[in-house]
Amino acid sequence: MTVTEALQKRRAIPSFDPTVTISREELERLIDLASLAPSSMNLQPWEILVCDTPEDKARLLAVAMNQKKVSEASAAIVVVCNLEFPDHAADEADSQIERGYTPADKRDGFITMAHGFKANPNIVRDEAIRSCNLWAMSFMLVAQEAGWETGPMGGFFPDKFAEEFGLPDSRYPILIITIGKANPSIKILERNFRYSAKDITHFGNW
Ligand SMILES: Cc1cc2nc3c(=O)[nH]c(=O)nc-3n(C[C@H](O)[C@H](O)[C@H](O)COP(=O)(O)O)c2cc1C
C-alpha cells in the first residue's frame, strides 16, 4: 500500500468488530514504526497507554463520554505528551555524538538549549502536542497499511483519564486512537467533504 492509498483508505471508524483481537507484539511493531515520526529536536515527547483488555477498555470508556467504539475496538491507545521531554536531551546528545552529528564538546550546550524549553510551560506543551500529533497520524497510516482500521478521538476528559490511569502532572493525554476492524454490520458513509487546495492555500502572501 502506498502512502497515498493509506491516506485515501483511512477513515474514522464509527463502530468496530468486537470479536477481533490484536496482539501486543503487533501493537508494539506499529508503535515502533510510528515513532519514526519527526519531533522537535528529536526529543520524542510521546508516550502511549494501551487499553486492550475488557477491564481497561471499560475504564477508558467511562472517561471517554461513553463512546462505545472504545470498548468494541481491538485496542484503544492513548497518545500522551511527556511534558518533561527536554529531559531526553542527554540521550539525544549522546546519540548525535555517536553518529557524528555533533562533536562531543557540544553535548552540554545541546542539553542546556533543550532545557531552555522549560522556561515557558506553554511552549513545552505546544511543542509536545505538535510532535505527538505527527506520531498519531503516523500510527494511523502504518496501521492502515497493516490492514487495521482506526479512529482518532478527542472526546474524553483528560483530567479524569489522568486520575483513572495514574498519570503524573507531567503527562498530558491528547488523543485516543481506536484500532481494530470495522464492524461489518455498519455502513461507513462516503467520506465527508474536504476544503480543496484552492480554498486553503496561500502562495507567498496571505
Ligand atoms: C483531534 C480529533 C478528535 C476527534 N474526536 C472524535 C471523537 O471524540 N469521536 C468521534 O467519533 N470521532 C472523532 N474524531 C473523528 C473525526 O470526526 C473524523 O476524523 C472526521 O469527521 C473526518 O472523517 P474521516 O476521518 O473518516 O475522514 C476526531 C478526529 C480528530 C482528528
Side-chain angles (χ1 to χ4, degrees):
M1 182 179 288
T2 63
V3 176
T4 299
E5 286 164 347
L7 283 165
Q8 287 168 336
K9 285 205 161 138
R10 186 212 58 78
R11 297 296 312 282
I13 299 302
S15 175
F16 288 86
D17 182 342
T19 65
V20 177
T21 57
I22 185 167
S23 70
R24 291 188 171 183
E25 291 70 28
E26 174 68 344
L27 281 169
E28 285 177 348
R29 190 183 73 82
L30 299 174
I31 289 169
D32 273 336
L33 285 165
S35 300
L36 296 174
S39 59
S40 178
M41 293 176 79
N42 198 32
L43 293 178
Q44 307 168 55
W46 42 69
E47 291 183 19
I48 311 302
L49 185 129
V50 176
C51 294
D52 62 348
T53 64
E55 296 74 28
D56 289 340
K57 288 184 217 170
R59 291 166 71 206
L60 186 58
L61 181 69
V63 298
M65 300 169 183
N66 271 318
Q67 298 196 61
K68 247 177 58 191
K69 48 189 167 279
V70 162
S71 47
E72 296 168 346
S74 309
I77 71 160
V78 186
V79 183
V80 176
C81 294
N82 174 3
L83 302 178
E84 289 174 344
F85 71 85
D87 293 345
H88 290 170
D91 289 342
E92 171 61 14
D94 290 340
S95 168
Q96 287 192 14
I97 292 162
E98 193 186 316
R99 289 166 171 77
Y101 285 87
T102 311
D105 63 354
K106 294 279 192 296
R107 184 178 190 275
D108 290 351
F110 180 85
I111 293 170
T112 305
M113 187 169 64
H115 278 88
F117 276 125
K118 286 186 170 172
N120 187 332
N122 288 338
I123 291 183
V124 168
R125 192 161 136 157
D126 287 356
E127 209 66 8
I129 293 173
R130 252 194 285 277
S131 297
C132 286
N133 280 331
L134 294 173
W135 188 97
M137 189 67 205
S138 303
F139 180 86
M140 290 191 282
L141 290 179
V142 83
Q144 194 73 43
E145 181 199 44
W148 298 101
E149 292 171 295
T150 57
M153 287 176 47
F156 69 102
F157 299 106
D159 292 353
K160 289 185 182 162
F161 169 79
E163 193 182 333
E164 175 62 34
F165 289 91
L167 270 65
D169 289 347
S170 60
R171 301 298 190 273
Y172 179 60
I174 57 160
L175 193 71
I176 298 172
I177 304 176
T178 46
I179 177 167
K181 307 268 179 178
N183 186 334
S185 62
I186 291 277
K187 179 172 158 44
I188 311 269
L189 299 175
E190 181 193 342
R191 192 197 289 278
N192 216 335
F193 91 106
R194 292 294 199 267
Y195 293 109
S196 72
K198 294 252 181 291
D199 294 323
I200 63 169
T201 309
H202 309 257
F203 288 98
N205 273 315
W206 203 252

